[in-house]
Amino acid sequence: MASKENVTEGWEKWKIALAVGAPIALGLAGLWYYNRVKSSNLETKKKDIESGEKKEEQPEAKAAEPQTPVEQAQAAKNKGNKWFKGGKYDQAIQCYTEAIKICPPENKQDISTFYQNRAAAHEQLKNFTEVIADCSKALEFNTRYTKAMFRRAKACEHIGDLQQCLEDVTAVCILEGFQNQQSLMMADRVLKDLGKSKAKEAYKNRKETTPSHSFLRTYFSAFANDPIISNLNEVNEESPETVEAESEAEKYQDESPEKEMKDGLPGKSRSQFSPFLKAKKQLAKKEYDNVIELCTQEISNSTSKYLPEALLLRATFYLLAGRGTKAIDDLNQVIGLEDVDKKIKSNALIKRGSLKLQLGEQTEALDDMATAVRVDPENSDIYHHRGQLNLLLDRMDDALRDFDKCVALNPEFAVAHAQKCYAEYRHAFDQRSPMQLQSSVRSFEDLLKRFPDCAEAFALYGQALCDQQQFDQADDQFKKAIKIEPDNANVYVHRGLLRLQWKQNMEEACSMIKKALEVDDKCEFAYETLGTIEVQRGNLTNAIDLFNKAISLAKTEMEMAHLFSLLDAAMAQSKVAQNFGIQVPTMGPM
Ligand SMILES: *[C@@H]1O[C@H](CO)[C@@H](O)[C@H](O)[C@H]1NC(C)=O
Ligand SMILES: *[C@@H]1O[C@H](CO)[C@@H](O)[C@H](O)[C@H]1NC(C)=O
Ligand SMILES: *[C@@H]1O[C@H](CO)[C@@H](O)[C@H](O)[C@H]1NC(C)=O
């Protein structure tokens, strides 16, 4: 679901990186955020490892005839380096082995170098088990030998021991003061891979969560033309369906009272109400617990006229409970049905497309959106959601075009207007265009006058102002958003992040974010942000608890993978700090 949540979350994550400041001050988890944004710039440096390596291993100038054992060992090493440079790795290995044998045990530094060099030769032969063994030896003799650590990390990555790899590369990052791009890149990559594989496992076995009411409200508000949600009141009032259902029941009573007696169910007229209509009634009353069950009852009636709606509604609740696979099964069915109302079909396509994006299937996601446009070209919801999808994919021009189209079709759709303003603002920010920035600020101001009840608009404007360091004004906007929607937990988190940027006050930030949890204890974003702040404060135990809590609330595998990465980063950092008895760099007391 590329609901509003996801889009703002993407930006929120990006913003945490900014909020916590310069990379040197960051813990690894924070740093990882930072790198995720920057990693495209880092990618080009990849080759340096291989070419830089051989240069470093070049033999030194030929010494005179060696005398002492140390000198002999050095000479053997130099010979090894020469073979290494010539690409004769087997011979190089022999020389290093000799150097190790000759060298007196008290020359620890030298011995560790010989092991390290032999590991480099094994690496060239892709003998990774040997690389790991030699690096471990090198580290026995020199515990802070980052070169050996990094080489072992690379070998571990090759053989798929990502956990050990992460510990090594984390140690390298910390010991090198987060300055080495290659190790940062590797940490980033390994964290992502580990996160993905852990999320895959955990997602299958997760306990489903029912989202909070405020989350559901936000989710539903992102659909102006939802074929089910947008006409819930029809069930309460005398909708055509209701009239039909009840008049059928009346007919039943009038014409064959004896049958009713047989059934012994005088209240039958009520229970004649189809399960799907009951589900709609519950939705109208904001009771969500039985929705899936009622839809399942309806779907089991093979002649049901509500089959498409029931499937779509069940899919929506599966999706909201984080059961993506089941949701996709139902959506596939709806989309495959003949003669389905175009509103239903396009809504199903939007939801399937958003789920596909969550699974990393971008082309399929965009295909679904394109199909939705063909099915129902005047449906503003499609452009709204495709705009968000395009934003997530960093396709800013397409996103802006979609939002324009959306509000042209549906000028009263306040949330879409707000997203459009925010997209324009981000575009201007990226382009560093003061003119465009000013114009986006004016658009926001106009928008807020026009839709003074749209909390979303105030919250997004607040974020924009916060980016531009206009903290006072940003805080005012957040306050207004909270006044309109006191249970909108995300806004409290934003206010907390604002405190962090504005006053560098972690205590205040945390107590603000804890308010988010008071109004909605299922606010994943709050747990995640608190966890990140604890990492910055160096309290990794707390951070780990908070990330675990966020993982239990994650709605998609992708979110889960991201959170596992944060958790792994915190745990690896905690372990390294213990092993080396060092304090991981933090932002210090604030
Ligand atoms: C890897 O190292 C072992 C032990 O030194 C050796 O027997 C084996 O031939 C090496 N494999 C390769 C591919 O070089
Ligand atoms: C099945 O659905 C049809 C059409 O909606 C309805 O008339 C019929 O009563 C339903 N059957 C059951 C067993 O609920
Ligand atoms: C981390 O926080 C917990 C509880 O908030 C506290 O008991 C603990 O002493 C803190 N640890 C550090 C290292 O600050």
Side-chain angles (χ1 to χ4, degrees):
M1 69 192 150
S3 73
K4 174 217 118 277
E5 293 294 309
N6 288 312
V7 176
T8 44
E9 251 174 50
W11 280 320
E12 277 151 5
K13 280 164 191 168
W14 175 80
K15 275 192 54 187
I16 295 174
L18 294 185
V20 290
I24 188 63
L26 296 182
L28 192 59
L31 203 90
W32 185 65
Y33 275 124
Y34 187 80
N35 274 352
R36 257 160 53 99
V37 184
K38 303 256 163 187
S39 58
S40 50
N41 307 340
L42 300 181
E43 224 65 57
T44 48
K45 296 220 167 183
K46 211 167 182 171
K47 284 208 188 96
D48 291 2
I49 294 180
E50 308 303 333
S51 57
E53 156 108 346
K54 286 182 193 168
K55 216 162 61 203
E56 281 166 39
E57 306 290 342
Q58 268 186 31
E60 286 131 34
K62 255 209 182 99
E65 198 58 29
Q67 303 293 326
T68 65
V70 184
E71 280 167 355
Q72 282 173 6
Q74 287 290 353
K77 180 202 81 175
N78 290 341
K79 222 164 106 192
N81 284 0
K82 214 165 156 186
W83 287 120
F84 187 102
K85 204 188 156 202
K88 304 285 188 203
Y89 303 111
D90 284 320
Q91 284 92 329
I93 289 170
Q94 278 176 18
C95 293
Y96 296 135
T97 304
E98 199 188 328
I100 292 164
K101 245 189 260 166
I102 305 169
C103 196
E106 62 272 21
N107 291 54
K108 291 189 175 173
Q109 193 83 26
D110 293 321
I111 297 178
S112 70
T113 307
F114 305 152
Y115 275 116
Q116 201 290 134
N117 283 11
R118 195 168 74 177
H122 281 305
E123 185 182 66
Q124 292 296 328
L125 298 172
K126 308 212 178 314
N127 209 334
F128 297 114
T129 331
E130 294 295 318
V131 176
I132 293 170
D134 274 353
C135 288
S136 300
K137 274 292 194 186
L139 288 163
E140 265 174 41
F141 288 94
N142 178 4
T143 51
R144 296 193 175 203
Y145 196 176
T146 52
K147 202 167 174 181
M149 250 175 241
F150 188 62
R151 197 177 304 289
R152 187 168 68 180
K154 280 194 290 179
C156 287
E157 192 183 16
H158 269 291
I159 65 162
D161 185 354
L162 294 183
Q163 202 64 50
Q164 180 62 47
C165 173
L166 178 63
E167 272 168 41
D168 281 337
V169 77
T170 302
V172 174
C173 288
I174 292 172
L175 293 171
E176 288 179 343
F178 299 104
Q179 294 296 299
N180 183 323
Q181 300 283 294
Q182 275 155 13
S183 42
L184 291 175
M185 241 173 59
M186 182 189 243
D188 183 55
R189 185 173 63 235
V190 173
L191 282 169
K192 272 187 203 158
D193 287 351
L194 261 179
K196 258 188 221 151
S197 69
K198 288 190 182 178
K200 196 165 191 168
E201 205 44 46
Y203 194 73
K204 269 188 289 187
N205 306 317
R206 68 200 298 273
K207 273 189 275 170
E208 60 197 70
T209 53
T210 323
S212 64
H213 281 201
S214 63
F215 181 90
L216 289 171
R217 186 188 56 220
T218 312
Y219 180 77
F220 291 133
S221 78
F223 293 89
N225 302 312
D226 190 293
I228 299 163
I229 306 294
S230 57
N231 57 23
L232 282 181
N233 292 336
E234 285 176 15
V235 190
N236 275 347
E237 293 152 21
E238 289 270 300
S239 74
E241 290 99 322
T242 316
V243 172
E244 199 181 301
E246 294 195 332
S247 62
E248 247 169 45
E250 273 161 27
K251 205 164 60 192
Y252 189 67
Q253 270 181 335
D254 288 348
E255 284 173 8
S256 45
E258 62 292 305
K259 246 188 191 168
E260 192 195 310
M261 296 304 286
K262 231 189 312 184
D263 285 345
L265 289 169
K268 187 97 186 208
S269 66
R270 289 291 142 212
S271 62
Q272 276 286 7
F273 225 57
S274 86
F276 173 71
L277 293 181
K278 275 189 210 156
K280 273 179 88 169
K281 270 195 145 176
Q282 298 213 336
L283 283 177
K285 285 189 281 181
K286 304 205 186 313
E287 287 166 13
Y288 302 114
D289 290 344
N290 295 322
V291 171
I292 288 181
E293 172 55 31
L294 287 166
C295 289
T296 302
Q297 279 175 30
E298 186 71 52
I299 292 162
S300 70
N301 175 357
S302 56
T303 58
S304 166
K305 61 181 173 184
Y306 299 117
L307 181 65
E309 283 104 321
L311 281 167
L312 180 60
L313 184 58
R314 190 171 71 174
T316 306
F317 274 79
Y318 277 149
L319 175 161
L320 287 164
R323 295 161 79 178
T325 322
K326 289 194 157 190
I328 287 198
D329 286 347
D330 281 353
L331 293 170
N332 285 344
Q333 269 203 65
V334 178
I335 293 162
L337 290 171
E338 307 267 324
D339 300 326
V340 178
D341 181 274
K342 64 183 180 182
K343 288 263 172 295
I344 292 174
K345 194 164 204 158
S346 59
N347 189 277
L349 282 160
I350 294 171
K351 285 170 180 164
R352 191 175 72 178
S354 304
L355 277 165
K356 294 253 156 111
L357 188 74
Q358 297 285 352
L359 296 169
E361 298 169 7
Q362 300 182 6
T363 316
E364 289 85 347
L366 288 168
D367 282 352
D368 273 350
M369 295 295 177
T371 310
V373 168
R374 274 197 301 279
V375 170
D376 193 11
E378 304 292 295
N379 183 350
S380 61
D381 285 352
I382 305 168
Y383 305 98
H384 181 209
H385 286 265
R386 190 170 68 180
Q388 296 180 331
L389 205 128
N390 278 323
L391 271 183
L392 285 169
L393 297 174
D394 241 350
R395 295 155 49 128
M396 189 58 87
D397 291 332
D398 289 341
L400 285 171
R401 247 195 310 278
D402 280 334
F403 288 134
D404 279 340
K405 177 86 181 172
C406 173
V407 297
L409 285 168
N410 190 352
E412 295 308 310
F413 194 3
V415 173
H417 276 289
Q419 300 252 351
K420 172 169 150 17
C421 280
Y422 194 62
E424 281 168 358
Y425 155 74
R426 281 242 44 97
H427 189 54
F429 192 85
D430 291 344
Q431 305 275 313
R432 298 170 202 280
S433 158
M435 291 263 288
Q436 285 181 34
L437 269 177
Q438 264 182 15
S439 122
S440 76
V441 166
R442 270 196 308 275
S443 309
F444 263 123
E445 297 281 356
D446 292 345
L447 178 70
L448 296 173
K449 274 189 213 118
R450 221 178 122 197
F451 301 104
D453 294 327
C454 180
E456 190 61 27
F458 286 98
L460 285 172
Y461 188 33
Q463 288 175 60
L465 290 166
C466 187
D467 276 357
Q468 296 172 70
Q469 320 237 312
Q470 300 185 20
F471 299 125
D472 258 321
Q473 293 178 47
D475 203 37
D476 283 346
Q477 305 307 325
F478 289 143
K479 275 192 254 175
K480 285 178 195 160
I482 288 173
K483 199 163 170 206
I484 301 167
E485 276 180 12
D487 63 344
N488 191 331
N490 281 355
V491 184
Y492 294 92
V493 183
H494 283 298
R495 279 193 85 191
L497 285 169
L498 175 88
R499 282 285 179 294
L500 206 58
Q501 264 182 292
W502 186 6
K503 318 236 168 167
Q504 281 80 48
N505 189 328
M506 288 201 184
E507 283 308 323
E508 261 188 45
C510 286
S511 65
M512 189 62 76
I513 298 168
K514 281 176 186 152
K515 277 195 196 145
L517 294 175
E518 279 165 30
V519 300
D520 178 2
D521 65 357
K522 290 178 177 171
C523 181
E524 177 198 335
F525 182 38
Y527 291 110
E528 179 187 344
T529 310
L530 281 175
T532 308
I533 292 177
E534 290 291 11
V535 171
Q536 313 307 330
R537 289 211 281 204
N539 196 330
L540 295 167
T541 320
N542 274 359
I544 289 166
D545 285 349
L546 288 159
F547 290 142
N548 273 320
K549 188 80 192 159
I551 287 168
S552 73
L553 293 167
K555 283 178 202 65
T556 66
E557 195 176 315
M558 209 184 229
E559 274 167 35
M560 227 180 209
H562 167 76
L563 292 162
F564 269 115
S565 300
L566 291 175
L567 176 64
D568 286 335
M571 294 207 298
Q573 211 171 323
S574 167
K575 192 155 182 193
V576 169
Q578 262 173 17
N579 288 352
F580 290 91
I582 51 175
Q583 196 67 43
V584 174
T586 65
M587 290 182 79
M590 289 193 134

